Amino acid sequence: MRLVEPQSAEKRLTVKLEVTDAVARIHTDEKRLKQILVNLLSNAVKFTPEGGQVGLRVTADDAQNNLRFTVWDTGIGIDKEDLERIYQPFVQIDSGLSRKYEGTGLGLSLVLQMSAFLGGSVQAESKLGQGSSFTVTLPIVWAGEHSIPARAASSQPSTPSMVPNSGAKLVLLAEDNPANQMTIGDYLRARGYRVELAENGTEAVSKARALKPDVILMDVQMPEMDGIEAMKAIRDGGMAQVPIVALTALAMQGDKERCLSAGANDYLSKPVSLKKLAKALESFVDP
Ligand code: MN
């Protein structure tokens, strides 16, 4: 909840946390659970208009074999047909929305994969114009990871065997959205990169100078200094060679040109698939 605090404060949202007394402890994968909740909360905040409410409710089922994590909001909602499609990777409901509400479009598909991986399930309820709720049900004791689905393996967080050595190439990930930071960061680490995070354009410029990354992934829409200004500053600051891949939510005419003239070597518009993103990076640098 701390991770979505800045965005919810900016939109003057009321954020509620309710945890039932019956809940004692859960044995699960902390990092994956965190990823699930950050993705859901981040979506809730993103799709709830100013002054609305979002919340997390944690309850135990009667037999106490499961815990239910419900993330709810009073946001724009999702209609019935779309509700069936939203778990597909890289789907954002309509282009008009994705212009207003930025995201990779990966969040829910990742939530579904992670929940299944932890032996649980996800249920969604939504009413157009009234809000949505997503309930993740997880067993109180997770049996472990013997049954990792091969299809999902590539987007799982890095495990010790995948921790890159110091010879691994460094990606500077400039991205302000916490869910995207985790999703993209974990994916790139799993592919063998080292990843350093910058949360806004100013930080991207200073970290580019200090760390000399092998490649930079630059979100265009960021607070303080946007990606366009950051790319110009990096190029003007004498770093002519470092490959920069720009990421923008706005697939608008002229966007590509704006990115390229600011110094980007390549350009992708969100929602983007992780594979496509990795391919773009790998055309410049081998992890
Ligand atoms: Mn952004």
Side-chain angles (χ1 to χ4, degrees), residues 52-267:
Q53 298 185 4
V54 302
L56 169 64
R57 187 167 54 241
V58 188
T59 54
D61 70 8
D62 295 340
Q64 299 213 2
N65 295 320
N66 293 306
L67 279 191
R68 284 187 295 260
F69 299 84
T70 301
V71 173
W72 57 269
D73 63 64
T74 60
I76 57 176
I78 304 160
D79 76 29
K80 217 171 170 197
E81 274 167 35
D82 286 332
L83 205 50
E84 285 158 22
R85 297 195 299 130
I86 52 174
Y87 295 112
Q88 292 162 24
F90 329 129
V91 170
Q92 254 193 355
I93 300 310
D94 77 41
S95 50
L97 278 184
S98 63
R99 232 164 278 138
K100 188 164 175 199
Y101 301 97
E102 180 188 3
T104 54
L106 284 167
L108 286 172
S109 137
L110 190 92
V111 165
L112 198 67
Q113 281 186 17
M114 293 277 171
S115 304
F117 184 73
L118 296 177
S121 60
V122 185
Q123 276 175 302
E125 280 175 45
S126 192
K127 278 212 176 108
L128 210 54
Q130 293 184 27
S132 309
S133 77
F134 291 87
T135 298
V136 175
T137 304
L138 297 180
I140 285 195
V141 177
W142 180 43
E145 48 185 292
H146 334 36
S147 58
I148 179 165
R151 223 182 91 253
S154 60
S155 59
Q156 297 299 331
S158 54
T159 59
S161 63
M162 287 191 275
V163 170
N165 60 38
S166 53
K169 295 292 195 290
L170 179 65
V171 182
L172 178 60
L173 172 60
E175 164 69 66
D176 59 312
N177 178 297
N180 294 350
Q181 290 167 359
M182 289 177 84
T183 309
I184 297 172
D186 277 339
Y187 183 74
L188 295 178
R189 281 184 205 101
R191 288 191 78 94
Y193 291 102
R194 287 181 296 138
V195 178
E196 188 68 39
L197 192 67
E199 310 221 10
N200 56 53
T202 317
E203 208 176 297
V205 175
S206 64
K207 286 198 170 176
R209 282 184 193 140
L211 303 170
K212 307 265 180 295
D214 297 288
V215 60
I216 299 174
L217 192 57
M218 182 74 76
D219 181 29
V220 167
Q221 294 179 303
M222 289 189 293
E224 286 182 42
M225 179 194 281
D226 69 17
I228 299 285
E229 292 307 312
M231 287 190 284
K232 286 182 189 159
I234 288 167
R235 294 303 188 214
D236 291 347
M239 298 186 74
Q241 300 302 324
V242 58
I244 304 179
V245 176
L247 266 179
T248 172
L250 308 170
M252 283 179 5
Q253 229 169 10
D255 246 33
K256 184 170 186 174
E257 288 66 29
R258 235 158 51 90
C259 287
L260 296 179
S261 73
N265 301 79
D266 199 359
Y267 159 99

Side-chain angles (χ1 to χ4, degrees), residues 7-28:
Q7 285 119 312
S8 44
E10 200 176 303
K11 296 175 81 177
R12 294 179 298 108
L13 304 180
T14 306
V15 182
K16 295 188 175 173
L17 172 66
E18 303 157 76
V19 183
T20 316
D21 293 346
V23 176
R25 59 175 66 178
I26 181 168
H27 175 103
T28 191

